[in-house]
Amino acid sequence: MSQQVEIEFKNSLTKKEFTRLISSLNLTEKDSYLQENYYYDTKDWKLKNSHSALRIRLFSDSAEQTLKTPFEQNLLETTDALSLKQAKLFLNTHTIASKGHVAKQLSVLQIDLNELVLFGSLTTKRYEKKIDQGLIVLDESSYGTKVDYELEFETSSREVGEVYFDRFLKHHSIEKRPTKNKIVRMMESK
């Protein structure tokens, strides 16, 4: 289990901006990987209404179950590692792990695990570049027939991150755009 405060800044990108950033950051295919994201909530949207989100994420050789909950002006991520076999079993049965830190956090939120339903998924091709100020992430996400592009910047300091992110956008001539979370964009596309 890991638990960490997620401090990140986001900006939607056009395909042209996305491609240009990959080039200017000298990113290649070896800097990318695929992840499949599967989202859960109750039928009456208890997680969404508490500004929280629950997902199972599959990588090529592992998986994880993550609950994001509000924490000050950031998000607290509680994650349990899963094997691919476990994750696929949960996805096939539309359940989640009933033991672990995520289940405990859901209990604190008074979410009954039996009420959770799998309601959507998306696939992301992610490029990452570690720099002194944090982690630059470029995402190309596909859900249904829609594809979108996004820049994320993860950092350990909100103040430093905000200054760096604003400078980064200006340096690359990218308009600052409010960006909804992937789960929201996926839900709105239905």
Side-chain angles (χ1 to χ4, degrees), residues 6-13 35 39 55 57 68 75 77 122 124 126 135 137-139 141 148-155 158 161-162 165-166 168-169 174-185:
E6 178 183 68
I7 302 171
E8 72 177 7
F9 300 88
K10 296 174 176 265
N11 203 73
S12 61
L13 299 171
Q35 55 188 28
Y39 296 98
R55 72 164 180 245
R57 177 174 279 172
K68 294 187 179 193
L75 291 172
E77 285 189 346
L122 64 82
T124 299
R126 174 166 281 187
L135 182 68
V137 177
L138 297 172
D139 284 344
S141 296
D148 68 28
Y149 304 90
E150 175 181 37
L151 164 67
E152 293 182 2
F153 179 63
E154 299 175 6
T155 184
R158 179 159 287 285
E162 193 164 16
F165 191 67
D166 287 344
F168 184 89
L169 291 175
I174 296 172
E175 176 187 337
K176 196 169 189 176
R177 302 174 190 104
T179 305
K180 297 176 180 175
N181 290 329
K182 287 178 185 67
I183 188 172
V184 173
R185 298 192 316 259

Side-chain angles (χ1 to χ4, degrees), residues 54-153:
L54 174 64
R55 72 164 180 245
I56 290 180
R57 177 174 279 172
L58 276 59
F59 303 101
S60 62
D61 59 357
S62 64
E64 63 188 20
Q65 176 175 276
T66 301
L67 176 66
K68 294 187 179 193
T69 52
F71 181 78
E72 297 169 357
Q73 46 181 180
N74 304 303
L75 291 172
L76 179 65
E77 285 189 346
T78 303
T79 301
D80 292 321
L82 302 172
S83 69
L84 276 176
K85 185 177 179 180
Q86 287 173 307
K88 289 178 180 179
L89 174 65
F90 294 138
L91 293 171
N92 287 335
T93 57
H94 296 244
T95 59
I96 67 158
S98 58
K99 293 184 176 17
H101 292 68
V102 170
K104 287 178 188 171
Q105 287 291 106
L106 287 166
S107 176
V108 170
L109 293 174
Q110 298 181 340
I111 304 289
D112 182 343
L113 299 185
N114 295 318
E115 289 182 48
L116 292 169
V117 293
L118 177 63
F119 70 85
S121 65
L122 64 82
T123 301
T124 299
K125 182 174 186 178
R126 174 166 281 187
Y127 292 83
E128 294 183 344
K129 181 165 187 127
K130 185 85 175 128
I131 59 170
D132 291 341
Q133 298 85 349
L135 182 68
I136 297 171
V137 177
L138 297 172
D139 284 344
E140 176 182 1
S141 296
S142 306
Y143 40 99
T145 59
K146 186 147 177 63
V147 176
D148 68 28
Y149 304 90
E150 175 181 37
L151 164 67
E152 293 182 2
F153 179 63

